[in-house]
Amino acid sequence: MIFASDLDRTLIYTKKLIGDSDKDIVLAERYLGKDLSFMKKGALEKLLSIKKKILFIPVTTRTIEQYNRIFLMSEQIKPDYAVVSNGGNILVNGEVDRQWEEIIKDKVDKITSCKIVEKRFLESFKDNSWIDKMVLRDNLFYSVHFQDKKLIKIQELEEFKDWIEKRGWHISIQGRKLYIVPNCVNKWDAVLYIKEKEKKGRIISSG
């Protein structure tokens, strides 16, 4: 059996989301000298207990670098596998699974390239001052950062959406980020790859 779980807002939370009154937490992530995310002690204890019985796989949109910041994973939980980069990469004991990397590369090479997608996106808006930055994540997908969703011209975004969906990509807005992702880069396919590799019969997921 496999237990596959999302990380942010499922297992780990910022202090703001946990609340100042909750002291029963452990630090999970630190970045640039700041404590970023935490896990509840009870959740950590249950997760460690579960891991002894079944295969636990953390699954996240985070890049490899962003995932590695969660030192609680590498130092205490120590999962055999981690699905990162929205499924574009799989880590096996902390190292990139090269076979999966090649599978994804072969699929991505068959669709419209990242450079063409970026160019089309930036040209799709008469005024793109609402964009703080557009970042290519692990050479697989884009995250577009913005301050206010109201500044996005919905009609222009819909036109870009129609264009990109015909080319094997999709978009989604999560908070103050807009993700532009190839359909072949997804978490479920990565988990199924591990399921087949480990010959597991069932998947339980959360997040």
Side-chain angles (χ1 to χ4, degrees):
M1 183 183 294
I2 289 174
F3 172 48
S5 177
D6 192 18
L7 294 177
D8 294 279
R9 300 193 178 202
T10 301
L11 289 179
I12 63 175
Y13 298 84
T14 63
K15 195 68 177 290
K16 180 180 179 181
L17 290 173
I18 287 180
D20 293 332
S21 60
D22 195 338
K23 306 298 182 183
D24 194 30
I25 56 176
V26 292
L27 181 63
E29 175 187 14
R30 184 181 290 111
Y31 182 59
L32 297 177
K34 294 182 179 180
D35 296 346
L36 281 191
S37 60
F38 302 80
M39 184 182 291
K40 292 193 175 185
K41 290 181 180 178
L44 176 59
E45 291 170 359
K46 289 177 181 178
L47 186 58
L48 291 173
S49 177
I50 288 171
K51 184 177 175 290
K52 293 178 181 178
K53 302 172 184 177
I54 62 177
L55 180 61
F56 165 63
I57 305 174
V59 181
T60 180
T61 302
R62 286 177 175 239
T63 64
I64 296 172
E65 184 274 329
Q66 290 169 336
Y67 170 77
N68 285 334
R69 296 196 313 233
I70 309 173
F71 61 86
L72 191 66
M73 284 291 164
S74 60
E75 294 180 6
Q76 289 196 49
I77 301 171
K78 301 178 181 178
D80 295 334
Y81 294 92
V83 172
V84 299
S85 314
N86 201 61
N89 281 299
I90 294 173
L91 302 181
V92 183
N93 297 316
E95 299 296 326
V96 174
D97 185 316
R98 298 303 176 188
Q99 182 178 350
W100 180 249
E101 183 182 51
E102 286 300 315
I103 291 172
I104 291 297
K105 183 180 183 301
D106 182 61
K107 290 181 178 181
V108 169
D109 285 347
K110 293 175 181 176
I111 61 175
T112 303
S113 71
C114 290
K115 288 184 178 180
I116 293 175
V117 167
E118 179 179 5
K119 184 174 184 292
R120 177 68 183 226
F121 178 78
L122 294 174
E123 291 176 347
S124 294
F125 302 89
K126 294 177 182 178
D127 177 12
N128 55 22
S129 61
W130 57 274
I131 300 173
D132 284 342
K133 59 181 178 179
M134 184 176 185
V135 184
L136 180 60
R137 302 292 183 182
D138 284 348
N139 293 312
L140 292 168
F141 63 93
Y142 286 99
S143 64
V144 181
H145 302 241
F146 56 89
Q147 290 298 324
D148 191 345
K149 185 178 177 180
K150 295 178 182 177
L151 297 176
I152 306 173
K153 299 298 183 183
I154 299 301
Q155 183 176 344
E156 293 174 341
L157 182 61
E158 284 295 326
E159 289 173 357
F160 172 74
K161 180 173 178 283
D162 290 342
W163 178 86
I164 202 170
E165 286 182 348
K166 296 173 182 176
R167 289 159 176 82
W169 293 65
H170 66 276
I171 65 171
S172 65
I173 295 178
Q174 300 177 30
R176 293 182 177 178
K177 294 179 185 177
L178 184 151
Y179 289 95
I180 309 173
V181 187
N183 295 337
C184 58
V185 178
N186 66 81
K187 300 170 182 176
W188 185 244
D189 284 351
V191 173
L192 287 180
Y193 168 85
I194 298 171
K195 177 179 179 286
E196 293 175 5
K197 186 176 181 178
E198 291 291 325
K199 296 181 172 55
K200 299 296 183 181
R202 188 179 181 189
I203 299 171
I204 297 173
S205 62
S206 65

